[in-house]
Amino acid sequence: MHDVDVWASAPCSRPVLGWVGLAVLAATLLAACGGATTVEEPAPVVVAPTSAPTVSVKSSPAHRTSGGSALIEVQMPADAKPGEALSVALNGADVTASFKDGSTTGAKLGLVMGLKDGDNTLSVKVGGSAATALTLTNYPITGPISSGPHITPFVCQTGTLALPDGSKLTGTVANDPMCSAKTDVQYQYRTTGEVFKPLTDTKAVPADVKMIKNAAGVSVPYIVRVETATINRGIAQIAMLFDPAKDVEPTPTTPPKNWNKRLVYGHGTGCVGGWYIQGGVFGYSPMNDTWLSRGYAVANNTLNHPTNICNNVVSGEAASMTKEYFIKRFGAPVYTVSTGTSGGAIGSLQLIDMFPGLFDGAIIDATFPDVITIAQSAADGHLLSNYFASSASSASSFSPQQRAAASGYAAEITLVANGNQMGRIDPVPGRTAPVFAGVGNYASAVWNAAFPLSMRYDPNASPPNFTGARPTIFDIGSNVYGKGVNPLDPSGKSTIGLRTYDNVGVQYGLSALNSGAISVTQFLDMNANVGGFDTDANPVATRTVGNPDAILRAHQSGLFLNGGGGLASTPVLDLSNIYAEDTSNYHMQWEHFAVRERITLANGNSDTFVMWRGGPGTAPTAANPAAPIAALSPVAIAAFEKWMEAITADKSADALRTKVIRNKPADLTDGCFDKSSPPQFIAEKQTLGVSGSQCNILWPSYRFPRMEAGAPLASNNLKCQLKPVDLGDYKVTLSAAELSRLRSVFPSGVCDFSKPGVNFAKVVPWASFGPSKVNLVFDVTK
């Protein structure tokens, strides 16, 4: 301690004191003696405020929670001070107790219950630092959220669907219009005989249970937990490995130990018959050994079966709500794979594009772009089939080869079979149409037997039923397309879904004309007489005019696949499990290529999309290399898993599309399988055509009517822009009389396929058609 003189010129006595005493005395003396010496105080310690916590909703977008709950993750600030605790409130009520340690450092995970329908406020703070209040908009578990008003009428089938043990769901109340039922949990086990059987004693392992390796490589009994619940008026089912003798009740923080933390979401097939029903069957069974045996959870909803509901705005809502339910029950999966065949491929592709982030990858086969594309090509084909069977002056002059050439298909049988797919836009029961050897009869107004006959539209009944439900893709989707007065109802009181089909200006057989396959006379006569359809799909002499507003909303909703939404950054492995270009098959290769073209046009390339061709199987199995196999062979699954795992492992801050492309395995390339036994893979870029590559020679692929008329392979033009007749488009010489007739056949002009279609638009991600106001595209009630 130094002897400090605090007095500069004080005449007062100077007692000897320590530092503290001196300081106190100095202050006193200075005050008394008039001293002016300044004492420097220590600088105050500045304590930086704690950073605000980060809050996110793990179960769904914040603006579309459902069922009164949401799984919330709070990332605690790294600079939190000792004693600064987490505090969470919902609408002012403390819910902090819901939060537990998450799987990552500093994360707190909580299932927040008690959300009211509508907007809710979630307040989160750590100590005195608060995150921005989060608004959670909640909807009933019965929906709707964004698919527009509930479809009516609607037939419940909770008492029809068979659960794994053969029992049925129990309804919550009698005649519930929301089709709700009590949640059911059952256990099944896989036997050594490779069948599933009910597990009746959950405390004992059956003697005949199959043992498999879980994700950790440990041998475990192959026991499956099956949970069934009603969601969005559909029936949802979730299956996953679970040992009831050892596992605790699943929660987001205590998921089943044998689950590999990955989810497969399956989609059913079809479309015809998918009208106004809840669904008494799953189109894709969650009791799926292929995926369960690999450790995946498998989920499905009856509304993801197009044969139950042919409207992917509704099925997308059902899938998003079902996945939300899954996450709140078991925790967020590392990734979710979407899969399906035919209509299930449509569901996978459309939902990925419409709802970015809902699914993280897709492995599909027997691919179509969407049902509108099927309907458009089918209507074109059906018009041509009708013309060739008509009494028009030169219809009989077309040979079978010329008919095929005009249509683009390999054979006339394929033209007729594809044209018959128009049944999904034909609401009139009992329609007759030209028959063709080897092709099933045309089927219009196909209904599920559960839908009452008295409630079905029938303009030819006695008396006519114009107010009945109409079995078409446009009517089941009228919340998107819009409604208009039925021009065929004499009372003028009934309404119908607006339609997108348009063939004004389409020059059928243009390529066949230019190649010399058909004559000028045949070309002109065909286009003069091919006609169109009215709103009941009755053949008429005039061309059909599509509704521009319905066309716009078909694009915006994603019901007409765009490829620039979620597909821009989602890996897809596209397989060809069905191959037959010259038979009654209607799964054509061009439809696979149309999907790829749309992705290319929207994003500049299709590097996220890999095509494997060859059928009926796509690769050999190790157990039986010579046998034909299902589309999702172990080889295909393993190749796709390698891609998904590489993307997952990429923790860079790069854009997802960049990571998807960068992490595609070098050996996962386009190619086809030859016809040897076992099949050998040929790696080469897949192209549409019948020559020019090994794969095109092995698996030739043909065109379709509108492409023969000059449309692009993408088939993404619903209503073409028109241009005047241009002689430069024809590689044949037209006489003055022929040119005059051509202009009379197309008085408004011909299609200019070099331009985008009328009202072409990009897909609106997470589009709404009510009641949600977020990304609201159209509200049919207004």
Side-chain angles (χ1 to χ4, degrees):
M1 181 73 65
H2 297 282
D3 185 11
V4 178
D5 189 348
V6 293
W7 302 272
S9 56
C12 306
S13 61
R14 304 173 62 183
V16 178
L17 300 170
W19 175 263
V20 176
L22 285 171
V24 174
L25 179 63
T28 303
L29 291 174
L30 284 172
C33 303
T37 301
T38 301
V39 178
E40 292 186 6
E41 296 183 2
V45 176
V46 178
V47 179
T50 299
S51 302
T54 303
V55 186
S56 60
V57 186
K58 304 300 288 185
S59 49
S60 70
H63 70 273
R64 48 184 302 145
T65 66
S66 67
S69 62
L71 186 63
I72 306 296
E73 184 179 76
V74 177
Q75 189 65 43
M76 299 289 286
D79 57 354
K81 312 299 186 298
E84 291 187 321
L86 173 68
S87 175
V88 186
L90 176 68
N91 299 327
D94 184 36
V95 293
T96 310
S98 301
F99 285 79
K100 298 177 175 60
D101 287 340
S103 58
T104 57
T105 303
K108 300 288 186 179
L109 201 62
L111 182 61
V112 176
M113 311 284 285
L115 274 68
K116 64 184 180 181
D117 288 345
D119 289 345
N120 299 261
T121 300
L122 190 75
S123 304
V124 181
K125 64 180 181 179
V126 174
S129 297
T132 302
L134 182 64
T135 299
L136 302 173
T137 307
N138 184 67
Y139 296 87
I141 195 65
T142 54
I145 296 177
S146 58
S147 64
H150 271 318
I151 292 170
T152 57
F154 194 78
V155 175
C156 299
Q157 294 178 285
T158 49
T160 301
L161 184 138
L163 297 172
D165 68 353
S167 64
K168 304 294 193 296
L169 288 169
T170 302
T172 52
V173 295
N175 301 315
D176 178 11
M178 296 295 103
C179 306
S180 300
K182 295 178 181 178
T183 299
D184 179 275
V185 176
Q186 298 183 6
Y187 296 94
Q188 296 272 311
Y189 74 97
R190 188 80 169 175
T191 72
T192 52
E194 299 296 347
V195 296
F196 283 113
K197 292 175 63 175
L199 181 70
T200 55
D201 184 355
T202 58
K203 296 181 180 179
V205 177
D208 62 340
V209 71
K210 180 180 180 180
M211 301 297 289
I212 58 173
K213 295 289 183 67
N214 67 10
V218 177
S219 182
V220 297
Y222 192 166
I223 300 174
V224 180
R225 183 185 188 277
V226 187
E227 182 166 334
T228 309
T230 49
I231 299 173
N232 199 35
R233 297 198 303 174
I235 303 171
Q237 194 167 85
I238 297 164
M240 63 200 315
L241 294 178
F242 187 94
D243 187 345
K246 295 182 178 180
D247 286 350
V248 299
E249 180 69 12
T251 71
T253 54
T254 58
K257 294 178 181 178
N258 294 330
W259 174 38
N260 70 359
K261 308 301 185 295
R262 284 139 180 85
L263 173 64
V264 166
Y265 202 99
H267 303 265
T269 59
C271 169
V272 176
W275 328 118
Y276 312 99
I277 58 173
Q278 181 183 37
V281 295
F282 290 108
Y284 190 95
S285 174
M287 294 302 299
N288 189 300
D289 175 61
T290 296
W291 295 108
L292 291 172
S293 63
R294 300 176 78 90
Y296 287 80
V298 185
N300 192 219
N301 188 305
T302 54
L303 299 184
N304 294 111
H305 185 20
T307 300
N308 294 333
I309 178 75
C310 194
N311 175 345
N312 276 335
V313 167
V314 173
S315 67
E317 180 178 75
S320 68
M321 293 176 71
T322 300
K323 185 178 177 184
E324 176 190 3
Y325 179 95
F326 178 95
I327 293 172
K328 291 186 292 190
R329 196 77 179 87
F330 306 101
V334 173
Y335 59 72
T336 302
V337 174
S338 184
T339 189
T341 296
S342 189
I346 293 175
S348 293
L349 291 167
Q350 284 199 309
L351 270 56
I352 285 171
D353 215 36
M354 296 160 70
F355 302 91
L358 177 60
F359 302 131
D360 304 297
I363 180 168
I364 57 175
D365 66 290
T367 301
F368 296 102
D370 50 68
V371 295
I372 301 178
T373 300
I374 297 173
Q376 175 177 268
S377 189
D380 287 342
H382 202 54
L383 287 174
L384 291 173
S385 294
N386 286 345
Y387 166 72
F388 293 137
S390 74
S391 58
S393 58
S394 65
S396 61
S397 72
F398 283 78
S399 68
Q401 292 75 21
Q402 287 180 312
R403 294 176 183 186
S407 72
Y409 295 113
E412 187 178 5
I413 187 174
T414 318
L415 162 64
V416 177
N418 279 264
N420 280 359
Q421 294 308 301
M422 197 188 112
R424 69 199 72 209
I425 60 172
D426 189 339
V428 180
R431 174 95 62 193
T432 59
V435 296
F436 195 92
V439 180
N441 289 339
Y442 178 82
S444 60
V446 177
W447 286 97
N448 186 289
F451 195 83
L453 183 65
S454 62
M455 297 168 63
R456 302 178 187 179
Y457 179 86
D458 189 349
N460 298 325
S462 182
N465 185 0
F466 284 104
T467 60
R470 288 166 56 92
T472 79
I473 62 173
F474 300 116
D475 293 283
I476 201 71
S478 60
N479 284 350
V480 174
Y481 302 114
K483 296 180 180 179
V485 174
N486 184 353
L488 302 178
D489 178 3
S491 74
K493 295 180 180 179
S494 64
T495 59
I496 62 174
L498 301 178
R499 301 190 146 213
T500 64
Y501 181 70
D502 186 290
N503 70 337
V504 175
V506 176
Q507 300 184 82
Y508 293 106
L510 178 61
S511 293
L513 170 68
N514 284 333
S515 69
I518 63 174
S519 69
V520 173
T521 299
Q522 288 175 315
F523 171 75
L524 292 172
D525 191 65
M526 177 172 59
N527 280 285
N529 292 282
V530 73
F533 298 104
D534 66 16
T535 53
D536 266 3
N538 297 304
V540 293
T542 56
R543 298 291 183 105
T544 301
V545 180
N547 183 275
D549 293 331
I551 289 170
L552 174 63
R553 292 190 287 270
H555 285 291
Q556 293 172 319
S557 67
L559 286 179
F560 191 68
L561 185 72
N562 177 265
L567 282 172
S569 53
T570 304
V572 177
L573 177 55
D574 176 74
L575 310 171
S576 298
N577 188 43
I578 298 175
Y579 179 86
E581 295 279 297
D582 57 355
T583 69
S584 60
N585 170 52
Y586 56 87
H587 291 84
M588 301 286 100
Q589 294 300 298
W590 73 262
E591 288 145 342
H592 295 249
F593 288 104
V595 170
R596 191 179 70 179
E597 283 294 297
R598 294 188 195 181
I599 293 173
T600 300
L601 290 171
N603 305 291
N605 62 57
S606 56
D607 292 346
T608 58
F609 192 87
V610 176
M611 295 180 70
W612 282 6
R613 286 201 292 161
T618 58
T621 64
N624 191 359
I629 57 171
L632 299 187
S633 72
V635 172
I637 292 174
F640 189 69
E641 279 180 322
K642 186 177 178 182
W643 195 1
M644 293 301 301
E645 295 298 330
I647 297 167
T648 301
D650 189 338
K651 304 301 182 184
S652 72
D654 292 336
L656 179 56
R657 177 175 168 82
T658 299
K659 292 198 279 189
V660 167
I661 296 172
R662 179 172 62 219
N663 289 289
K664 183 166 60 178
D667 56 352
L668 183 54
T669 64
D670 266 21
C672 69
F673 291 88
D674 66 18
K675 299 178 181 181
S676 62
S677 181
Q680 300 299 306
F681 186 73
I682 301 169
E684 63 180 32
K685 183 72 173 178
Q686 297 301 286
T687 59
L688 184 79
V690 299
S691 61
S693 71
Q694 293 182 72
C695 293
N696 281 355
I697 293 171
L698 284 167
W699 311 107
S701 50
Y702 292 80
R703 293 149 65 103
F704 53 98
R706 202 152 290 206
M707 192 175 183
E708 286 301 300
L713 173 57
S715 190
N716 60 347
N717 193 310
L718 286 172
K719 179 180 177 63
C720 67
Q721 296 192 52
L722 300 176
K723 65 177 184 179
V725 170
D726 182 354
L727 286 177
D729 293 338
Y730 309 96
K731 296 182 180 179
V732 296
T733 301
L734 299 176
S735 68
E738 290 169 338
L739 179 59
S740 176
R741 190 183 184 201
L742 177 63
R743 286 174 173 153
S744 69
V745 170
F746 297 102
S748 302
V750 297
C751 285
D752 185 353
F753 287 117
S754 69
K755 296 179 179 178
V758 173
N759 278 352
F760 178 87
K762 294 182 178 180
V763 61
V764 176
W766 294 86
S768 175
F769 297 86
S772 174
K773 299 296 189 293
V774 179
N775 301 326
L776 184 65
V777 169
F778 176 67
D779 185 346
V780 74
T781 65
K782 306 234 170 61

